[in-house]
Amino acid sequence: MPKDLHPEACTPIRHGLLGAGWVSLGLAVVLGCSDAGLQPREPQPTPGVDNLLRIDGTLCSDEPERTSYPVKILFAIDASGSMQFTDPNRKIRDAVHSVVERLRTNPSVRFAILSFNGIVRINSADPVSSDNRFDHVTPQSLGRHAGFYPGNQLPPGALDSVTIRDSVTDYQGALGAIYRLLEMDMLASSPAERTRTKYVVVFLSDGWPNPQCNTDCMNPQAQPVCLDRRGLPPEARDAFPELKSCQDYNQPYQIFAKVDQIMRLRDIYAVGDLRFHTAWLRDPNDVISGQFGYKPEDARDLLFKMAVHHGNGTFADYYRGDEVTFANIDYTSILRPYGLSQVLVWNTNAVPTPGGFGVDSDGDGLSDEREGELGTDPKLGDTDGDGFRDGFEEQRLARGFDPRLPSKPWYACSDRTDLDADGLLTCEEQVIGTDPRLPDSDSDRMPDGLEVRYGLDPLTQNGAMDDDADGIFNIQEVAAQTHPLVADPMLYRDHRTSYAITALGERAGQQRCYEFSVRQIELVGTAGQRGPASRGVNRILLYFGQAPLDAGERDPGRWRIGCVDAVFVPPAYKLPATGQFALSELDLRDASRFDPRAHCVQVGMSGR
């Protein structure tokens, strides 16, 4: 096994893991590095008491095939009247169809097709009429077919919509619809899905945004629609969905701001990737630019800047529709190798105090001593039988909870499962607002249940904060099993759990493997929650977080869990007697499939 990593060494795992900022912080933390201003030294056991446990083992990350990106491709195609000159053979439809055909059998890829002139349509080529108003984008609706579809399930007319030739070129209306469509899809996706989704927008036009309006309503050269939308015919009453009379519209600065707004969705919703590509189909005879009074180089420059300066994408320039191809854009799912991002141990029966570890026989978050003060049962995790654990209720006494009264709160716990094995019941997660299927809702490398147990906010990334001002980051204290909200530097110095992790390299399939040793796990003398035979049992959970190496702090990652039921009866009875235990990779379970009733290794009873 590897040697101990001393705090003064402060050496996080290398082997490519330092590319993401949170990884270097998280792994440096669990290895025991500290800026606490204390003299570096190894934790010391309590004199005369042998209550320490060490757990060793190896594990390998998931195969990268399990972490491939879902890809969602949005084509936004200019369908203005000028396209009859620049694309007379309707080859742009063929170019879009070619991409759809090539990727239609890939289950990870979905499509949406948006066409725009004065009217913006999503996945629809149906005619616009007074009794069919929801086949296109309005200020209130994105239409009947808004969404992303597999290539073989696109709504009828979606591809044909790019062959419409009518009216003007409403960039701003199209960009507004793109923003609304992407945001709608992101909101409908789970956080875990969003972090692994790649969005690709392909925006093609042959000209210049039109109409262009400004705030000068007295300008005699202003287009009528800029002054008063009420003059539109009934069939066009929903044209220009972003236009407001007597205001700037389709000005270049607004176009760039719209693309910036779209790109900010990547950070707002923590999506894996978002690219905005553009293509310009030029008029070789400059007939269109002359008719509408703009310079071809200005149109090209606008589209170039939309993609390259604002959209983190690429720009393509075509002389005629027959040349258009979208095959050179990267749509493919990206395989993202996993790496170890966090290792945490949690003795569910030990409560940190400044002077040592208190006993929590029923693992409900309250020490036996505190339960005696409250009048709750130290051997029963839910004294009043309402489904909420005693510790959870005690934290919320001021909010109408009480671990002694089933009438507080006024409702009982409706779902007592723990689907993500983070230590919180589903009903408790509903109270807090965390994700019941995500062990780490805020992606700060601390499971939600641990954060709640210690009084931290599981919806805020606070691992790099020092809430108790003792010079030790919150995530360091959680890993060490000391308290992040109680200044306990002596406990951290003398009793903290320490970790040693060695990267073993890759095996076939780009799986990264590690050897780990978790040391100085202090056991406490529990009262026996399940009768005399369970006296001294300490349930030890080990959380192993992994995430794609390029993910950064937005990715909640995947978690595996190991569980060991060790025994300590003061002053000297301990199982395993040697204080060392080897945890097999076969003992680890994905959080979504972990069941403590079936997957906890009972030391001594299993012969191990």
Side-chain angles (χ1 to χ4, degrees), residues 99-114:
V99 176
V100 172
E101 280 295 301
R102 178 161 59 92
L103 299 173
R104 67 183 299 163
T105 59
N106 189 327
S108 298
V109 180
R110 291 175 174 264
F111 298 90
I113 300 176
L114 180 150

PDB file of all heavy atoms in Angstrom, residues 99-114:
ATOM      1  N   VAL A  99     -27.160  15.655 -43.172  1.00  0.00           N
ATOM      2  CA  VAL A  99     -26.719  15.520 -41.780  1.00  0.00           C
ATOM      3  C   VAL A  99     -27.708  14.669 -40.990  1.00  0.00           C
ATOM      4  O   VAL A  99     -27.326  13.786 -40.213  1.00  0.00           O
ATOM      5  CB  VAL A  99     -26.551  16.904 -41.133  1.00  0.00           C
ATOM      6  CG1 VAL A  99     -26.195  16.754 -39.653  1.00  0.00           C
ATOM      7  CG2 VAL A  99     -25.479  17.706 -41.852  1.00  0.00           C
ATOM      8  N   VAL A 100     -29.006  14.917 -41.199  1.00  0.00           N
ATOM      9  CA  VAL A 100     -30.028  14.157 -40.489  1.00  0.00           C
ATOM     10  C   VAL A 100     -29.920  12.675 -40.837  1.00  0.00           C
ATOM     11  O   VAL A 100     -29.991  11.805 -39.962  1.00  0.00           O
ATOM     12  CB  VAL A 100     -31.432  14.699 -40.824  1.00  0.00           C
ATOM     13  CG1 VAL A 100     -32.509  13.794 -40.237  1.00  0.00           C
ATOM     14  CG2 VAL A 100     -31.589  16.119 -40.303  1.00  0.00           C
ATOM     15  N   GLU A 101     -29.744  12.363 -42.133  1.00  0.00           N
ATOM     16  CA  GLU A 101     -29.638  10.970 -42.556  1.00  0.00           C
ATOM     17  C   GLU A 101     -28.404  10.298 -41.967  1.00  0.00           C
ATOM     18  O   GLU A 101     -28.451   9.142 -41.547  1.00  0.00           O
ATOM     19  CB  GLU A 101     -29.596  10.884 -44.083  1.00  0.00           C
ATOM     20  CG  GLU A 101     -30.958  10.994 -44.738  1.00  0.00           C
ATOM     21  CD  GLU A 101     -31.850   9.819 -44.376  1.00  0.00           C
ATOM     22  OE1 GLU A 101     -31.474   8.664 -44.655  1.00  0.00           O
ATOM     23  OE2 GLU A 101     -32.916  10.053 -43.772  1.00  0.00           O
ATOM     24  N   ARG A 102     -27.311  11.020 -41.946  1.00  0.00           N
ATOM     25  CA  ARG A 102     -26.056  10.437 -41.451  1.00  0.00           C
ATOM     26  C   ARG A 102     -26.137  10.093 -39.968  1.00  0.00           C
ATOM     27  O   ARG A 102     -25.520   9.121 -39.506  1.00  0.00           O
ATOM     28  CB  ARG A 102     -24.898  11.414 -41.702  1.00  0.00           C
ATOM     29  CG  ARG A 102     -23.554  10.930 -41.191  1.00  0.00           C
ATOM     30  CD  ARG A 102     -22.423  11.675 -41.862  1.00  0.00           C
ATOM     31  NE  ARG A 102     -22.487  13.092 -41.659  1.00  0.00           N
ATOM     32  CZ  ARG A 102     -21.873  13.743 -40.648  1.00  0.00           C
ATOM     33  NH1 ARG A 102     -21.176  13.063 -39.764  1.00  0.00           N
ATOM     34  NH2 ARG A 102     -21.952  15.051 -40.535  1.00  0.00           N
ATOM     35  N   LEU A 103     -26.901  10.866 -39.206  1.00  0.00           N
ATOM     36  CA  LEU A 103     -26.930  10.683 -37.754  1.00  0.00           C
ATOM     37  C   LEU A 103     -28.260  10.174 -37.231  1.00  0.00           C
ATOM     38  O   LEU A 103     -28.447  10.061 -36.021  1.00  0.00           O
ATOM     39  CB  LEU A 103     -26.594  12.020 -37.066  1.00  0.00           C
ATOM     40  CG  LEU A 103     -25.223  12.614 -37.381  1.00  0.00           C
ATOM     41  CD1 LEU A 103     -25.080  13.997 -36.783  1.00  0.00           C
ATOM     42  CD2 LEU A 103     -24.108  11.710 -36.873  1.00  0.00           C
ATOM     43  N   ARG A 104     -29.178   9.838 -38.111  1.00  0.00           N
ATOM     44  CA  ARG A 104     -30.525   9.496 -37.655  1.00  0.00           C
ATOM     45  C   ARG A 104     -30.582   8.215 -36.832  1.00  0.00           C
ATOM     46  O   ARG A 104     -31.471   8.030 -36.013  1.00  0.00           O
ATOM     47  CB  ARG A 104     -31.466   9.375 -38.849  1.00  0.00           C
ATOM     48  CG  ARG A 104     -31.176   8.209 -39.793  1.00  0.00           C
ATOM     49  CD  ARG A 104     -32.122   8.240 -40.988  1.00  0.00           C
ATOM     50  NE  ARG A 104     -33.513   8.120 -40.582  1.00  0.00           N
ATOM     51  CZ  ARG A 104     -34.540   8.442 -41.357  1.00  0.00           C
ATOM     52  NH1 ARG A 104     -34.332   8.937 -42.556  1.00  0.00           N
ATOM     53  NH2 ARG A 104     -35.769   8.270 -40.925  1.00  0.00           N
ATOM     54  N   THR A 105     -29.628   7.316 -37.027  1.00  0.00           N
ATOM     55  CA  THR A 105     -29.625   6.059 -36.265  1.00  0.00           C
ATOM     56  C   THR A 105     -28.867   6.167 -34.948  1.00  0.00           C
ATOM     57  O   THR A 105     -28.841   5.209 -34.183  1.00  0.00           O
ATOM     58  CB  THR A 105     -29.004   4.927 -37.100  1.00  0.00           C
ATOM     59  OG1 THR A 105     -27.656   5.280 -37.459  1.00  0.00           O
ATOM     60  CG2 THR A 105     -29.828   4.680 -38.358  1.00  0.00           C
ATOM     61  N   ASN A 106     -28.251   7.330 -34.710  1.00  0.00           N
ATOM     62  CA  ASN A 106     -27.519   7.522 -33.453  1.00  0.00           C
ATOM     63  C   ASN A 106     -28.509   7.921 -32.360  1.00  0.00           C
ATOM     64  O   ASN A 106     -29.115   8.986 -32.435  1.00  0.00           O
ATOM     65  CB  ASN A 106     -26.454   8.609 -33.631  1.00  0.00           C
ATOM     66  CG  ASN A 106     -25.526   8.705 -32.424  1.00  0.00           C
ATOM     67  OD1 ASN A 106     -25.935   8.477 -31.297  1.00  0.00           O
ATOM     68  ND2 ASN A 106     -24.273   9.057 -32.676  1.00  0.00           N
ATOM     69  N   PRO A 107     -28.705   7.098 -31.338  1.00  0.00           N
ATOM     70  CA  PRO A 107     -29.720   7.406 -30.328  1.00  0.00           C
ATOM     71  C   PRO A 107     -29.388   8.623 -29.478  1.00  0.00           C
ATOM     72  O   PRO A 107     -30.253   9.137 -28.770  1.00  0.00           O
ATOM     73  CB  PRO A 107     -29.768   6.133 -29.477  1.00  0.00           C
ATOM     74  CG  PRO A 107     -28.421   5.508 -29.653  1.00  0.00           C
ATOM     75  CD  PRO A 107     -27.999   5.827 -31.059  1.00  0.00           C
ATOM     76  N   SER A 108     -28.149   9.084 -29.525  1.00  0.00           N
ATOM     77  CA  SER A 108     -27.750  10.235 -28.713  1.00  0.00           C
ATOM     78  C   SER A 108     -27.996  11.569 -29.408  1.00  0.00           C
ATOM     79  O   SER A 108     -27.816  12.619 -28.791  1.00  0.00           O
ATOM     80  CB  SER A 108     -26.261  10.133 -28.345  1.00  0.00           C
ATOM     81  OG  SER A 108     -26.002   8.983 -27.572  1.00  0.00           O
ATOM     82  N   VAL A 109     -28.375  11.548 -30.697  1.00  0.00           N
ATOM     83  CA  VAL A 109     -28.479  12.777 -31.483  1.00  0.00           C
ATOM     84  C   VAL A 109     -29.944  13.122 -31.740  1.00  0.00           C
ATOM     85  O   VAL A 109     -30.742  12.273 -32.141  1.00  0.00           O
ATOM     86  CB  VAL A 109     -27.728  12.640 -32.822  1.00  0.00           C
ATOM     87  CG1 VAL A 109     -27.840  13.932 -33.633  1.00  0.00           C
ATOM     88  CG2 VAL A 109     -26.260  12.302 -32.573  1.00  0.00           C
ATOM     89  N   ARG A 110     -30.297  14.400 -31.517  1.00  0.00           N
ATOM     90  CA  ARG A 110     -31.635  14.903 -31.798  1.00  0.00           C
ATOM     91  C   ARG A 110     -31.534  16.204 -32.587  1.00  0.00           C
ATOM     92  O   ARG A 110     -30.514  16.904 -32.519  1.00  0.00           O
ATOM     93  CB  ARG A 110     -32.422  15.127 -30.504  1.00  0.00           C
ATOM     94  CG  ARG A 110     -32.791  13.822 -29.800  1.00  0.00           C
ATOM     95  CD  ARG A 110     -33.461  14.062 -28.464  1.00  0.00           C
ATOM     96  NE  ARG A 110     -33.921  12.802 -27.896  1.00  0.00           N
ATOM     97  CZ  ARG A 110     -35.161  12.325 -28.012  1.00  0.00           C
ATOM     98  NH1 ARG A 110     -36.062  13.033 -28.680  1.00  0.00           N
ATOM     99  NH2 ARG A 110     -35.503  11.173 -27.482  1.00  0.00           N
ATOM    100  N   PHE A 111     -32.618  16.531 -33.316  1.00  0.00           N
ATOM    101  CA  PHE A 111     -32.602  17.663 -34.236  1.00  0.00           C
ATOM    102  C   PHE A 111     -33.795  18.584 -34.001  1.00  0.00           C
ATOM    103  O   PHE A 111     -34.863  18.146 -33.555  1.00  0.00           O
ATOM    104  CB  PHE A 111     -32.668  17.188 -35.691  1.00  0.00           C
ATOM    105  CG  PHE A 111     -31.515  16.330 -36.122  1.00  0.00           C
ATOM    106  CD1 PHE A 111     -31.564  14.949 -35.993  1.00  0.00           C
ATOM    107  CD2 PHE A 111     -30.378  16.903 -36.661  1.00  0.00           C
ATOM    108  CE1 PHE A 111     -30.511  14.155 -36.392  1.00  0.00           C
ATOM    109  CE2 PHE A 111     -29.316  16.114 -37.061  1.00  0.00           C
ATOM    110  CZ  PHE A 111     -29.375  14.738 -36.931  1.00  0.00           C
ATOM    111  N   ALA A 112     -33.602  19.854 -34.352  1.00  0.00           N
ATOM    112  CA  ALA A 112     -34.689  20.808 -34.519  1.00  0.00           C
ATOM    113  C   ALA A 112     -34.335  21.660 -35.730  1.00  0.00           C
ATOM    114  O   ALA A 112     -33.158  21.960 -35.967  1.00  0.00           O
ATOM    115  CB  ALA A 112     -34.860  21.683 -33.284  1.00  0.00           C
ATOM    116  N   ILE A 113     -35.362  22.017 -36.513  1.00  0.00           N
ATOM    117  CA  ILE A 113     -35.139  22.811 -37.726  1.00  0.00           C
ATOM    118  C   ILE A 113     -36.001  24.063 -37.635  1.00  0.00           C
ATOM    119  O   ILE A 113     -37.237  23.985 -37.558  1.00  0.00           O
ATOM    120  CB  ILE A 113     -35.472  22.003 -38.989  1.00  0.00           C
ATOM    121  CG1 ILE A 113     -34.580  20.756 -39.061  1.00  0.00           C
ATOM    122  CG2 ILE A 113     -35.298  22.861 -40.234  1.00  0.00           C
ATOM    123  CD1 ILE A 113     -34.893  19.830 -40.214  1.00  0.00           C
ATOM    124  N   LEU A 114     -35.332  25.202 -37.643  1.00  0.00           N
ATOM    125  CA  LEU A 114     -35.999  26.494 -37.546  1.00  0.00           C
ATOM    126  C   LEU A 114     -35.804  27.234 -38.858  1.00  0.00           C
ATOM    127  O   LEU A 114     -34.678  27.345 -39.355  1.00  0.00           O
ATOM    128  CB  LEU A 114     -35.417  27.284 -36.380  1.00  0.00           C
ATOM    129  CG  LEU A 114     -35.952  28.684 -36.070  1.00  0.00           C
ATOM    130  CD1 LEU A 114     -35.826  28.970 -34.566  1.00  0.00           C
ATOM    131  CD2 LEU A 114     -35.203  29.771 -36.847  1.00  0.00           C
TER     132      LEU A 114
END
